[in-house]
Amino acid sequence: MTDDHLMTFMNTAESAGGAERHASWTELFFDLVVVAGVLQLSHLLHEGPTAADLALYVLLYLAFWIAWVCFTVYGNVEGDRAWTPGLLLAMLGLAVMVAAVPGIRGTRHYLAFVAAYVFLRWLSSRFWRRGRVVMDWPVAQMGLGVLPWIVSLWVDAPARYWLWALGIGFDLLAILANAGGHMLRGAQEWAERLVRKNGDHGRPVIEAAYADVPHLMERLSLYVIIVLGEGVIQITTVAADTAWDVHLAAAALGSFALLSGLWSMSLLNGFGGIPKTGRGDLPVRLALSLHCLTTCALASVAAGLGLALAHPHDPAANGVRWLLCAGLMVYFGVSVLAAAVSGARWQSVLGWALPCLLLLSALGFFARHLGAGWLIWALATAVGWQLVFAPGKRGSLREHASA
């Protein structure tokens, strides 16, 4: 028996007749939960933030992002065949996770968060037919990453948080290790065993499902716009409650310049919301992995801007300064990795990335007496350097739109 008899490859872009797809009304409505999620998660950083606060923020953010992507990929692959009531139920589950964030250190809230996360992972796996392997997002059909979350229901903090980190680590490793290929071979072997046992009658069909790349990149880009929009909300909300003077004006204008630069890097000169300066587009599984880092960094920068603007006359607190600097360092680090993977020359990459990383390190260590406005404008300058000197920049989204 040949693999052709056992396996049917499916590419949703081809199955749709090559027609260009855009986010549907259902998908746009589903993405509204991201607005609430990013806003609530930012509250974890409003009390300092300390290293423990930031670590918990990253854990909860990645859990929220993974749950969101599970259903985003489902809608992307299935298209018009996606089960709308299931997506609405997933939206409700994500809303429960979001509502549990402010009191996550309390018993009831953390139980609700874990229960909602485990339920969403179970629900997303039930949407896929047996014998169908999602190549670009194998996490949708893998339960190993959920097990530590289940065990954490009987474990106290801080060990509970280490279990959460372990579960997320399993999922991210599965993406990077191309677990979809291993799952596909396992499904083929399962089908071959059934055929040897039962003969050709009832031969199972193994499907390899692939993402509609332009549509998925559009969804990821919309997510980035939501995160950057939260940054604008942070600025305007704080400005409305702060005395208006030249210090606030300078800090607010610097914040807007910073967010505008990040928007340009991520979308006009990026791929799926990922800053990129190479020649080719990124593999889907790598784009998804980098997207979680990029958006987490952008969300932390947005929260940091709100905290810095609350005291425009004073130097930013140590935790706030490091939140801003570290967030941008992660963001620039992603851009370096994406550029290298997509074909940029290392000499060019280091030429535009290294000065920015050195500046951010210097600001983090030595700028404790620098005023909030000066700090924000220094960060905006680093982003401006990236925009001006990044090699081979191009507008990937516009190219997709005109393709």
Side-chain angles (χ1 to χ4, degrees), residues 256-340:
F256 185 75
L258 176 59
L259 291 175
S260 298
L262 292 173
W263 163 77
S264 180
M265 283 188 64
S266 300
L267 301 175
L268 297 184
N269 300 298
F271 178 66
I274 303 162
K276 187 180 75 69
T277 56
R279 296 185 296 272
D281 290 338
L282 301 170
V284 173
R285 61 190 180 89
L286 181 58
L288 287 170
S289 302
L290 295 182
H291 184 269
C292 75
L293 297 177
T294 299
T295 53
C296 185
L298 290 176
S300 64
V301 169
L305 289 175
L307 294 172
L309 257 68
H311 305 283
H313 303 86
D314 305 319
N318 288 337
V320 175
R321 187 180 70 257
W322 272 112
L323 178 64
L324 289 167
C325 293
L328 282 181
M329 289 177 73
V330 171
Y331 182 83
F332 290 158
V334 169
S335 70
V336 169
L337 180 58

Side-chain angles (χ1 to χ4, degrees), residues 25 47 52 77 87 98 125 145 179 190 203 206 215 225 240 268 292 306 314 328 331 335 338 383 399:
W25 294 118
E47 295 298 330
V77 173
L87 292 176
V98 170
S125 67
W190 164 75
R203 175 186 300 164
I206 306 302
H215 175 261
I225 290 177
L268 297 184
C292 75
D314 305 319
L328 282 181
Y331 182 83
S335 70
V383 175
E399 290 183 4

Side-chain angles (χ1 to χ4, degrees), residues 49-74:
T50 64
D53 294 331
L54 182 57
L56 182 59
Y57 169 83
V58 171
L59 280 177
L60 299 185
Y61 179 88
L62 292 179
F64 178 84
W65 181 88
I66 288 173
W68 177 83
V69 173
C70 282
F71 295 95
T72 297
V73 172
Y74 165 72

Side-chain angles (χ1 to χ4, degrees), residues 354-384:
L354 188 58
C356 297
L357 294 173
L358 291 175
L359 173 61
L360 293 172
S361 298
L363 291 173
F365 283 108
F366 306 115
R368 58 175 56 91
H369 300 299
L370 194 64
W374 289 105
L375 173 65
I376 293 172
W377 274 108
L379 300 176
T381 300
V383 175

Side-chain angles (χ1 to χ4, degrees), residues 53-288:
D53 294 331
L54 182 57
L56 182 59
Y57 169 83
V58 171
L59 280 177
L60 299 185
Y61 179 88
L62 292 179
F64 178 84
W65 181 88
I66 288 173
W68 177 83
V69 173
C70 282
F71 295 95
T72 297
V73 172
Y74 165 72
N76 171 266
V77 173
E78 292 296 327
D80 294 337
R81 296 169 297 183
W83 189 42
T84 299
L87 292 176
L88 296 178
L89 184 59
M91 189 176 179
L92 177 61
L94 286 167
V96 172
M97 291 177 63
V98 170
V101 167
I104 194 67
R105 294 179 176 88
T107 302
R108 291 184 178 180
H109 286 76
Y110 101 79
L111 287 175
F113 188 94
V114 173
Y117 179 72
V118 172
F119 169 75
L120 289 173
R121 294 293 303 276
W122 172 83
L123 180 65
S124 67
S125 67
R126 301 298 296 175
F127 285 164
W128 303 100
R129 297 191 301 272
R130 189 176 185 183
R132 196 175 197 191
V133 180
V134 188
M135 300 295 292
D136 295 320
W137 185 249
V139 171
Q141 297 167 295
M142 295 178 62
L144 182 60
V146 180
L147 292 178
W149 287 82
I150 297 175
V151 174
S152 74
L153 292 172
W154 294 275
V155 178
D156 295 330
R160 174 193 310 151
Y161 305 142
W162 286 105
L163 286 171
W164 296 356
L166 180 63
I168 291 173
F170 281 146
D171 289 334
L172 295 180
L173 183 61
I175 304 170
L176 294 174
N178 192 20
H182 299 291
M183 292 173 62
L184 182 61
R185 288 190 291 272
Q188 287 179 274
E189 293 171 358
W190 164 75
E192 290 172 350
R193 287 195 297 270
L194 287 182
V195 170
R196 287 195 297 267
K197 180 179 180 181
N198 303 322
D200 287 342
H201 178 70
R203 175 186 300 164
V205 175
I206 306 302
E207 259 182 81
Y210 292 89
D212 180 344
V213 177
H215 175 261
L216 181 60
M217 293 305 111
E218 180 185 60
R219 293 293 306 282
L220 298 181
S221 299
L222 290 173
Y223 189 109
V224 172
I225 290 177
I226 291 173
V227 173
L228 293 174
E230 289 292 342
V232 175
I233 293 174
Q234 294 273 357
I235 296 172
T236 55
T237 300
V238 172
D241 297 329
T242 306
W244 286 21
D245 56 21
V246 66
H247 296 281
L248 176 64
L253 289 174
S255 298
F256 185 75
L258 176 59
L259 291 175
S260 298
L262 292 173
W263 163 77
S264 180
M265 283 188 64
S266 300
L267 301 175
L268 297 184
N269 300 298
F271 178 66
I274 303 162
K276 187 180 75 69
T277 56
R279 296 185 296 272
D281 290 338
L282 301 170
V284 173
R285 61 190 180 89
L286 181 58
L288 287 170

